[in-house]
């Protein structure tokens, strides 16, 4: 995802956002140009908590290893925005990121709790309010946002510092109380002890600690002293129980007095506009309270979801589809194929100091075609908005908190400080819940405004609304021509990519678009983990009326397939082992050591070269995604002519591992998610609308199709990088490479179901 | 009138009758009376009944393997469901998990009481009409039914009857259950002859 | 018109549209939000409840058909098998986003209540109707086996 911005650019970024929002859609106006910066550590977040008290109506925001419902306890000891300790010895960690399943709540709590020496069973978590000065993603300037697999990476030092600071103050308080040197006090499992026999729980010492000044720059633990970080079985997920007994509250579950539910009659084709609507019959449906037009469509509001749905069925809307009903994804593909044959905007060319090109003895050319993909998270998009007395509150799985806040305030015509966002756990996201128009948030607020804040209202997308709404991983075409010299070494690479830019025309457009190239469109190709001689790349970024969006692993979701299958084809043409071929390229590249490390680990653990069963082929792939290196080996056979993936062995180098079991789970999940897309994922667009609108046709991988997954985590001292997305990119090429070894002609247009290779 | 004239008259009359009927109706047994040879007539009656038996509404739950098919194009049922030990589904995923006593428009899921698959012996997918005919008559494969019971099943069984009221956008089987019953009765009366292949 | 329901052992009256899918009655009339909406067309299994000990996709049944039947939701699971399943789920940290897990657990409990020793194929066939977009399937399978082993070992000699 997007890279870090240094403090000097933060004001420019804020200005850019403001400037974008004040511009007409058609006038992009002046944009601040922001260049990328390296990752920065945050200053420790000392100071008052600008948290908002949890309203009793909020529902269970706190999650815990042991369920503890009830109102939040006033905590006298709140040394920073991330940690507080209550007299009852409960430690509450405030998490600034969205939990969409990736386990970052557990991770953020682990970081603080380890430095704090807290008893894991006495740790609770809650989600931060919108306050980007305090809760920003440290990599992205003053923006509160979850994405790019950066939650743990950007918080690593910050959360540890928060915990260490709290511990230091508890120790100082105990030293005062016991008249002993601080250095002699031990802390373990939320208890302070001294050799003299003195003992106190953190809860007992909290009030005294709360009266002390907050120190700066408290020393952090050396890794050999970690008790939770990196330890297997030390930190069970904090949200497991509530998600197993039905008590976890998602946006769809929020209860508020007088809550209404709204569904929207959305445009039937991308870009269609309302001409008129007749609400008479809809209003006669018992339970329907309002039918209101909003910019997103026509909303039907009722006392419950069923009433609203019946009302929407009875609603008559006349749509202007004069400019929207012609979009056809097959036609787009034809156009993209043609564009791929023409030069575009350059994104890579050989450096001036590169050695002279070797003579190309063999060339491989290939064209790859990737479909639109929907995210299809299990909880369709939704948001609750309550507008009253000049105050707006929202409840949702807010992923792009800062933008949601800004756009919600604008939609309600309120100042920012009159808008409060409550972030709940969400039923998945895969990137969908963060976008440049805060679609579900703004729509909910628009409805609240339209009913004049008469009651809180939940806007709920039904599955068909969600799948048909756009915000897709765009369609892409890659045209590659790669050359080998007479010794079978890679000698050149020509690469053209065609596909929508995710960032173009958005509030963050200038962030990743440089010299006409959206970095998200080419990531995984350029920069590459390989040292590719004579690499030339160019990009076409056509615009379509279908809104594009990042989809788990973003550009890597298609680039890894291209790179890692082409590498295998080149190795085969060179008569070389695919692993050895890659290792030779890694020997010369900057990232090569870690990529090679994870590749060799997987090759060893999986027994590369000696498949375990007849008729089962191995395929391998390795890809760096957002700083994390993942290699996967897939064992594949074709019983009855249909693909079966038996096992995937996965190696991951994500720097210092924080929660090994969460890392494993994210690799398992990323593999299943990727396999689902490889087999089935496709949104076709005909007559301007999505053909696949529910799980009957936008099919998802099911349990009987899930391979066994074994994960090996590289022991590393590098700064931690994320795992939410990096498990996705290598899977498809690994499976494709195995299929090639089985003699199946390479399918270069995904999904595989198109080639008749999937049982279904 | 010559024989040729008589045949011509029959053909014209039959054609006229056919154009009066709706295109998706089944032919009545009477409309086969022109076929003089009883065995031929019997076979022709069964071929007409075969328009129902080999319609997707019926074939989808008469597969050879363990998994029903679905839809006009008879793709494998999504999600994966299997016949289980009693043709009523797997343990903990019986057919009635989703299929209720009636078609349910809000979910689009078809329904009828006692929703289940036909037993394996009654697999019809991939079979010719001749093979299906032999199977229907074979008491070892038809649940030990007599021909009278076969007629009763086809003419009156409620789950069979679903084929004509499938709900949603599903194309019903041709005609009506009563029309099928009449054809089967006539087929039995004429000796229950099976098509040659 | 009033429909009497038996939900988690408690008698409840419903006065609305008899054609309302049971799912919305459970979630919004009765306030039991553990059962989820995922697709509305019986493809995803997130809405699974037990009716007379048989799994039901509550999005696909009208509330009117539920008179006189015993409905159990995730909140009402209390059997020995259910507790073992939920414990195994927690012990193995099966969940990720968790949204599908009520349905997964309801299906798993229904399976083990009918058949305590299960094969991988039994699990495939019983859970194929429950989609998990986070793909926690490997752990779902492991948790069912774990619960099964634990239940069997308590039962055994």
């Amino acid at each position: 995802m997007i890279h870090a911005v240094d403090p000097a650019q933060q004001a420019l970024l804020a200005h850019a956002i403001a400037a974008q929002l004040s511009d007409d859609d058609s006038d992009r106006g002046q944009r601040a140009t922001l260049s990328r910066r390296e990752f920065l550590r945050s200053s420790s977040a000392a100071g008052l908590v600008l948290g908002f008290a949890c309203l009793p109506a909020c529902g269970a925001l706190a999650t815990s290893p042991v369920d503890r419902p009830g109102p939040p306890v006033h905590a006298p000891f709140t040394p920073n925005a991330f940690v507080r300790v209550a007299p009852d010895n409960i430690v509450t960690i405030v998490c600034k990121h969205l939990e969409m399943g990736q386990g970052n709540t557990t991770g953020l709590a682990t970081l603080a709790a380890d430095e704090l020496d807290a008893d894991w069973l006495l740790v609770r978590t809650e989600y931060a309010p919108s306050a980007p000065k305090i809760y920003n993603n440290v990599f992205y300037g003053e923006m509160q946002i979850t994405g790019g697999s950066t939650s743990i990476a950007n918080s690593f030092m910050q959360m540890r510092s928060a915990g260490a600071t709290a511990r230091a103050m508890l120790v100082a308080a105990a030293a005062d109380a016991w008249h002993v040197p601080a250095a002699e006090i031990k802390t373990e499992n939320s208890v302070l002890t001294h050799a003299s026999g003195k003992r106190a729980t953190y809860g007992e010492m909290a009030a005294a600690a709360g009266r002390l000044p907050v120190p700066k720059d408290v020393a952090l633990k050396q890794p050999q002293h970690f008790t939770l970080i990196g330890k297997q079985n030390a930190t069970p997920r904090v949200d497991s129980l509530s998600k197993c007994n039905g008590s976890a509250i998602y946006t769809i579950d929020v209860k508020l007095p007088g809550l209404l539910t709204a569904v929207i009659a959305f445009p039937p084709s991308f870009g269609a506009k309302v001409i008129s609507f007749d609400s008479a019959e809809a209003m006669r449906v018992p339970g329907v309270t309002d039918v209101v037009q909003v910019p997103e469509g026509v909303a039907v509001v009722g006392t419950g979801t069923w009433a609203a749905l019946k009302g929407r069925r009875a609603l008559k809307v006349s749509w202007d589809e004069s400019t929207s009903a012609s979009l056809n994804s097959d036609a787009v593909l034809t156009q993209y194929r043609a564009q791929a044959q023409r030069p575009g905007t350059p994104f890579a060319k050989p450096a001036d100091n590169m050695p002279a090109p070797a003579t190309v003895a063999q060339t491989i050319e290939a064209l790859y075609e990737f479909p639109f993909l929907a995210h299809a998270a299990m909880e369709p998009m939704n948001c609750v908005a309550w507008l009253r007395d000049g105050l707006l509150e929202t409840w949702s799985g807010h992923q792009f908190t800062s933008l949601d806040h800004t756009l919600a305030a604008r939609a309600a015509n309120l100042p920012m400080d009159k808008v409060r966002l409550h972030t709940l756990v969400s039923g998945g996201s895969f990137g969908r819940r963060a976008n440049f128009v805060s679609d579900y948030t703004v729509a909910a607020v628009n409805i609240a405004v339209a009913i004049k804040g008469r009651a809180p209202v939940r806007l709920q997308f039904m599955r068909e609304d969600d799948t048909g709404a756009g915000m897709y991983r765009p369609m892409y075409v890659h045209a590659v021509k790669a050359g080998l010299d007479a010794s079978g070494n890679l000698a050149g690479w020509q690469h053209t990519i065609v596909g929508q830019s995710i960032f173009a025309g958005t509030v963050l457009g200038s962030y990743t678009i440089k010299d006409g190239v959206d970095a998200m469109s080419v990531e995984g190709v350029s920069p590459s983990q390989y040292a590719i001689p004579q690499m030339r790349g160019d990009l076409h970024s056509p615009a379509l009326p279908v809104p594009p969006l990042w989809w788990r692993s973003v550009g890597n979701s298609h680039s890894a397939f291209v790179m890692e299958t082409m590498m295998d084809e080149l190795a085969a043409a060179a008569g070389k082992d695919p692993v050895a071929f890659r290792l030779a390229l890694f020997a010369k590249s900057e990232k090569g050591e870690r990529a090679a490390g994870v590749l060799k680990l997987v090759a060893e653990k999986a027994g590369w070269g000696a498949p375990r069963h007849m008729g089962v082929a191995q395929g391998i792939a390795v890809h760096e995604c957002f700083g994390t290196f993942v290699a996967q080996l897939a064992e594949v056979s074709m019983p009855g002519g249909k693909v079966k993936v038996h096992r995937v062995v996965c190696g991951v180098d994500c720097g210092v591992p924080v929660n090994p079991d969460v890392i494993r789970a994210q690799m398992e999940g990323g593999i299943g998610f990727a396999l689902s897309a490889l087999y089935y994922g496709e949104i076709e667009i005909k007559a301007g609308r999505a053909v696949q609108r529910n799980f009957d046709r936008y099919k998802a991988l099911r349990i009987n199709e899930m391979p066994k997954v074994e994960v090996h985590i590289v022991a590393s001292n590098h700064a931690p990088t994320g795992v939410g997305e990096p498990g996705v990119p290598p899977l498809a090429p690994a499976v494709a490479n195995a299929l090639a070894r089985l003699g199946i002609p390479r399918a270069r247009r995904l999904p595989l179901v198109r080639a008749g290779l999937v049982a279904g | 009138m010559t024989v040729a004239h008589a045949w011509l008259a029959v053909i014209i009359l039959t054609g006229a009758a056919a154009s009066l009927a709706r295109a998706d109706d089944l032919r009545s047994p009477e409309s086969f009376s022109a076929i003089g040879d009883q065995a031929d007539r019997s076979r022709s009656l069964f071929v007409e009944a075969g328009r129902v038996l080999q319609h997707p509404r019926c074939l989808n739950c008469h597969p050879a393997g363990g998994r029903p098919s679905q839809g006009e194009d008879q793709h494998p049922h999504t999600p994966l469901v299997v016949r289980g030990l009693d043709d009523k589904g797997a343990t903990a995923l019986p057919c009635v998990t989703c299929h209720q006593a009636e078609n349910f428009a809000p979910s689009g899921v078809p329904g009828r009481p006692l929703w289940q698959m036909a037993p394996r012996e009654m697999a019809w997918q991939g079979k010719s009409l001749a093979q299906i005919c032999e199977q229907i008559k074979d008491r070892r494969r038809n649940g030990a039914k007599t021909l009278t019971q076969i007629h009763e099943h086809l003419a009156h069984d409620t789950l069979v009857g679903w084929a004509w009221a499938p709900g949603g956008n599903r194309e019903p089987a041709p005609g009506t259950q009563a029309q099928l019953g009449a054809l089967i009765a006539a087929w039995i009366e004429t000796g229950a002859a099976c098509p040659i292949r | 018109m009033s429909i009497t329901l038996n939900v988690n052992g408690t008698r409840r009256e419903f006065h609305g549209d008899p054609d309302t899918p049971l799912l919305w009655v459970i979630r919004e009339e009765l306030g039991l939000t553990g059962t989820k909406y995922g697709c509305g067309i019986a493809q995803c299994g997130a809405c699974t409840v037990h009716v007379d000990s048989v799994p039901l996709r509550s999005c696909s049944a009208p509330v009117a058909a539920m008179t006189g039947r015993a409905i159990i939701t995730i909140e009402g699971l209390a059997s020995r098998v259910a507790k073992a399943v939920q414990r195994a789920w927690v012990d193995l940290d099966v969940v990720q986003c968790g949204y599908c897990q009520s349905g997964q657990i309801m299906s798993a409990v229904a399976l083990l209540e009918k058949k305590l020793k299960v094969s991988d194929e039994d699990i495939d066939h019983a859970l194929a109707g429950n989609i998990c977009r986070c793909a926690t399937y490997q752990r779902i399978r492991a948790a069912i086996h774990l619960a099964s082993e634990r239940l069997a070992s308590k039962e055994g000699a």
Side-chain angles (χ1 to χ4, degrees):
Chain A
M1 203 172 145
I2 45 182
H3 291 247
V5 174
D6 79 353
Q9 301 294 335
Q10 287 177 24
L12 277 173
L13 175 61
H15 174 80
I17 292 179
Q20 290 292 322
L21 294 177
S22 65
D23 284 350
D24 201 0
D25 272 0
S26 58
D27 172 21
R28 287 293 137 216
Q30 222 176 352
R31 281 190 209 142
T33 49
L34 303 166
S35 57
R36 292 166 174 201
R37 288 288 187 265
E38 295 295 356
F39 137 71
L40 282 179
R41 288 159 47 156
S42 75
S43 52
S44 90
L48 294 172
V49 174
L50 279 179
F52 296 100
C54 173
L55 298 175
C58 285
L61 285 181
T63 60
S64 54
V66 174
D67 255 329
R68 263 183 64 102
V73 178
H74 175 64
F77 181 38
T78 309
N80 54 56
F82 300 99
V83 177
R84 62 175 189 268
V85 182
D88 62 359
N89 207 22
I90 295 295
V91 170
T92 301
I93 310 286
V94 179
C95 300
K96 67 185 188 183
H97 287 300
L98 173 67
E99 172 69 64
M100 22 177 156
Q102 80 278 50
N104 56 355
T105 314
T106 301
L108 295 171
T110 299
L111 295 172
D114 194 320
E115 294 286 349
L116 178 51
D117 283 328
D119 182 339
W120 185 247
L121 293 180
L122 300 177
V123 168
R124 306 287 176 268
T125 55
E126 64 184 40
Y127 298 102
S130 174
K133 287 192 192 339
I134 306 167
Y135 294 120
N136 58 319
N137 185 316
V138 165
F139 287 176
Y140 300 145
E142 202 173 287
M143 251 199 297
Q144 193 168 343
I145 183 171
T146 303
S149 301
T150 58
S151 294
I152 300 304
N154 95 91
S155 312
F156 187 64
M157 302 303 279
Q158 181 183 55
M159 292 304 286
R160 290 177 61 197
S161 178
T165 304
R167 178 194 168 275
M169 294 168 74
L170 288 161
V171 167
D176 279 351
W178 299 341
H179 308 294
V180 299
E184 289 177 11
I185 294 175
K186 285 193 175 32
T187 50
E188 190 180 0
N189 287 331
S190 299
V191 175
L192 301 126
T193 54
H194 183 261
S196 62
K198 295 282 192 202
R199 185 188 184 282
T201 67
Y202 285 7
E204 286 163 346
M205 205 52 68
R211 289 189 286 269
L212 296 177
V214 179
K216 293 204 187 333
D217 298 324
V218 174
L220 304 180
K221 284 184 182 178
Q222 292 301 306
Q224 63 265 31
H225 298 133
F226 287 154
T227 53
L228 300 175
I229 295 170
K231 305 299 177 203
Q232 185 61 34
N233 297 326
T235 52
R237 281 185 76 117
V238 298
D239 51 356
S240 271
L241 182 61
S242 64
K243 290 174 175 177
C244 288
N245 64 15
S247 67
I249 301 294
Y250 300 81
T251 304
I252 198 172
D253 305 322
V254 167
K255 292 173 179 153
L256 290 168
L259 178 72
L260 300 173
T261 302
V263 293
I264 292 180
F266 286 105
S269 48
F270 295 109
K273 304 244 178 304
V274 177
I275 299 172
S276 65
F277 65 96
D278 177 358
S279 62
E281 212 184 306
M283 288 300 293
R284 280 196 289 272
V285 171
V288 170
T289 58
D290 306 82
V291 176
V292 289
Q293 186 169 358
V294 287
E296 294 80 5
V298 183
V300 179
V301 189
T303 51
T305 306
W306 185 237
L309 284 174
K310 284 194 292 187
R312 185 168 72 171
R313 260 208 307 280
L315 176 68
K316 298 182 185 30
V317 185
S318 175
W319 296 96
D320 174 7
E321 294 191 78
S322 57
T323 55
S324 65
S326 59
L327 186 66
N328 179 294
S329 50
D330 284 336
V332 171
L333 183 58
T334 303
Q335 173 203 322
Y336 280 18
R337 285 182 188 135
Q339 273 184 286
Q341 304 309 319
R342 299 196 290 270
T345 310
F347 65 79
K349 63 180 171 59
D352 293 333
N353 59 354
M354 281 243 88
T359 310
V360 169
Q362 265 191 91
T363 303
I364 301 184
E365 274 194 70
L367 189 77
Y368 305 82
E369 296 161 352
F370 300 93
F372 289 107
L373 293 176
H375 301 72
M378 282 309 295
E379 182 184 15
M381 296 303 109
N382 46 18
C383 181
V384 177
W386 196 2
L387 181 62
R388 68 205 190 286
D389 305 324
L391 176 70
L392 171 67
E393 283 181 270
T394 66
W395 289 258
S396 190
H398 288 295
Q399 188 177 347
F400 199 162
T401 314
S402 294
L403 190 64
D404 293 354
H405 192 155
T406 303
L407 297 183
R410 186 195 197 196
N413 199 24
L414 286 173
M416 292 282 279
D417 65 356
K418 294 295 187 197
V419 177
R420 292 178 189 170
L421 274 62
H422 304 280
T423 299
L424 309 178
V425 293
S426 72
S429 171
F430 313 119
R432 176 60 177 86
R433 286 202 170 259
N435 60 71
F436 296 105
V437 294
S438 299
D439 65 332
Y440 51 86
T441 302
V442 168
V445 175
N446 286 338
I447 295 169
V449 168
I451 64 171
K452 300 187 181 8
R454 205 178 71 239
V457 59
R458 169 171 41 246
L459 166 63
Q460 182 63 51
F461 282 37
M462 306 313 282
R463 175 60 54 190
E464 293 81 3
D465 303 327
D466 190 283
T467 318
M471 304 282 189
Y472 302 134
R473 196 287 304 268
M475 177 180 271
Y476 285 98
V477 168
H478 292 238
V480 177
K481 197 158 132 178
L484 295 166
D485 67 17
S487 309
N489 300 314
L490 187 56
W493 192 289
Q494 164 66 41
H495 200 136
T496 302
I497 300 176
V498 185
Q500 290 167 280
S501 159
I502 291 167
F503 276 75
T506 70
V507 291
L508 295 180
S510 51
Y511 221 170
T512 68
I513 299 177
K514 194 168 152 49
D515 299 327
V517 171
D518 184 337
M520 308 259 122
S521 296
V522 305
E523 65 188 354
V525 175
S526 176
S528 173
Q529 59 188 349
Y530 298 107
I532 298 180
Q534 299 298 314
M535 168 83 154
R536 285 175 199 283
D538 59 311
L539 173 70
H540 299 267
S541 305
L544 293 176
V546 183
L549 195 60
W550 39 52
W551 180 98
R552 196 174 188 184
S553 78
V554 198
N556 301 288
S557 70
H558 48 99
S559 67
F561 186 85
V562 175
M563 299 304 288
E564 287 303 284
T565 54
M566 179 53 84
M567 283 298 166
D568 246 46
E569 291 201 62
L570 289 164
K576 296 184 178 176
D577 172 85
V579 171
F581 187 81
R582 288 171 169 83
L583 291 176
L585 288 169
F586 285 144
K588 306 181 200 127
S589 84
E590 198 191 309
K591 300 180 174 177
E593 198 190 319
R594 293 178 76 184
V598 81
L599 178 61
K600 285 190 284 198
L601 175 64
V602 164
E604 179 215 318
K605 293 290 187 188
W608 167 252
R612 300 194 299 181
H613 306 288
M614 278 283 293
V616 177
Q618 298 173 319
I620 199 155
V622 55
H623 196 79
E624 183 239 331
C625 174
F626 311 146
T628 292
F629 297 81
V630 179
Q632 290 170 5
L633 183 149
E635 293 175 344
V636 180
S637 69
M638 294 280 293
K642 305 292 184 191
V643 182
K644 183 169 171 64
V645 183
H646 298 265
R647 181 174 78 135
V648 177
V649 179
C650 178
V652 50
D653 178 351
C654 55
V656 171
V658 175
N659 303 103
D661 202 48
V662 170
I663 293 168
R664 273 189 210 98
Q666 289 315 295
M667 291 301 115
E668 294 161 16
I671 283 164
F673 187 81
L675 189 57
S676 191
L678 175 64
Y679 279 177
Y680 301 119
E682 176 162 23
I683 295 284
E684 294 169 278
I685 299 174
K686 293 196 201 307
R689 67 208 73 208
V691 170
Q692 291 80 7
R693 305 186 83 97
N694 206 317
F695 290 119
D696 56 345
R697 300 183 75 169
Y698 194 73
K699 291 176 69 165
L701 195 83
R702 294 175 184 265
I703 192 169
N704 57 299
E705 298 165 304
M706 182 75 192
K708 287 200 194 355
V709 176
E710 294 170 20
V711 182
H712 303 277
I713 303 172
V714 169
S716 166
N717 292 323
H718 282 100
T721 49
V723 293
E725 295 165 281
V728 172
L731 185 279
V735 172
N737 289 339
L739 286 173
R741 288 176 143 234
L742 288 171
I744 308 298
R746 284 193 178 268
R748 295 213 180 90
R749 179 175 179 183
L750 297 189
L752 288 185
V753 72
R754 275 189 169 267
L757 296 175
V758 184
Chain B
M1 201 194 237
T2 64
V3 168
H5 280 140
W7 271 114
L8 191 58
V10 165
I11 287 163
I12 290 168
L13 284 169
T14 314
S19 68
L20 281 173
R22 286 178 309 135
D24 55 353
D25 259 353
L26 289 170
R27 289 174 57 183
S28 68
E30 292 70 38
S31 72
F32 290 88
S33 56
I35 303 175
D37 177 74
Q38 179 171 275
D40 276 345
R41 194 159 70 248
S42 196
R43 279 189 277 272
S44 300
L45 285 159
F46 193 84
V47 167
E48 182 67 3
R51 291 175 56 208
V52 174
L53 305 179
Q54 291 189 303
H55 190 274
R57 297 289 81 73
C58 302
L59 279 186
N60 281 340
C61 293
H62 280 261
R67 186 173 179 182
S69 52
Q70 200 179 44
E72 311 308 319
D73 61 354
Q74 296 179 61
H75 59 263
H77 185 292
T78 298
L80 166 70
V81 292
V82 297
R83 64 169 69 244
L85 295 172
D86 58 2
D87 305 315
K88 295 183 167 71
T91 308
L93 190 51
C95 308
V96 297
T97 305
C98 306
H99 295 277
Q100 302 305 299
E102 287 172 11
N103 298 329
F104 192 49
S107 66
V109 177
R112 200 78 165 186
L114 307 174
W115 193 274
Q116 66 169 87
M117 283 172 67
R120 213 177 275 273
E121 311 78 65
M122 299 174 201
W124 289 348
Q125 286 188 25
K127 298 229 168 96
S128 69
L129 194 57
Q131 289 169 316
I132 292 173
C133 182
E134 296 300 339
Q135 209 170 311
I136 283 180
K137 288 166 63 177
D138 180 354
R139 296 195 63 178
R140 289 166 305 170
R141 291 185 286 168
N142 71 5
K145 291 186 176 64
T146 64
L147 283 175
T148 306
Q149 287 167 326
I150 288 286
H151 169 262
E152 175 65 24
H153 178 70
L154 288 169
H156 296 119
D157 181 271
T158 183
L159 188 53
V160 171
W162 171 82
W164 289 273
N169 289 334
R170 291 172 204 90
E171 183 189 86
T176 66
Q177 191 169 23
Q179 287 175 357
L180 177 70
L183 283 168
I184 294 295
W187 170 66
I188 293 170
E189 261 170 53
T190 52
C194 283
I196 307 295
R197 52 170 177 277
Chain C
M1 171 186 175
S2 165
I3 296 168
T4 305
L5 299 171
N6 172 0
V7 181
N8 296 334
T10 304
R11 199 183 130 121
R12 308 292 295 264
E13 298 284 328
F14 175 68
H15 301 283
D17 175 4
D19 246 359
T20 307
L22 178 63
L23 172 64
W24 300 116
V25 174
I26 288 173
R27 287 184 51 81
E28 297 182 354
E29 301 294 324
L30 305 182
L32 297 166
T33 56
T35 308
K36 302 301 187 205
Y37 163 80
C39 72
I41 62 168
Q43 282 290 341
C44 80
C47 67
T48 307
V49 297
H50 295 167
V51 177
D52 297 331
S53 304
V54 175
L56 173 79
R57 305 295 190 230
S58 61
C59 74
S60 297
V63 64
M66 296 296 126
T67 313
R69 305 174 75 182
I71 301 167
I72 304 282
T73 70
I74 184 79
E75 294 91 343
L77 286 181
S79 69
R80 207 175 131 254
V81 168
K83 293 298 173 204
V85 168
Q86 286 172 309
R87 158 119 316 132
W89 242 251
V90 170
D91 287 350
L92 295 185
D93 273 344
V94 174
V95 312
Q96 292 188 23
C97 88
Y99 194 82
C100 77
Q101 299 293 344
S102 295
Q104 304 280 358
I105 288 168
M106 297 304 282
S107 293
V109 171
L111 175 63
L112 290 181
E113 277 179 349
K114 291 241 170 1
K115 190 174 185 191
L116 191 49
K117 285 187 158 189
V118 290
S119 65
D120 277 339
E121 192 179 63
D122 291 325
I123 293 171
D124 280 351
H125 290 161
L127 281 273
N130 290 88
I131 294 176
C132 176
R133 286 291 287 153
C134 299
T136 65
Y137 298 125
Q138 173 154 284
R139 293 186 185 218
I140 289 172
R141 187 188 300 284
I144 292 172
H145 281 306
L146 179 60
S148 170
E149 282 155 28
R150 287 173 170 174
L151 287 163
S153 71
K154 286 196 182 106
E155 261 184 19

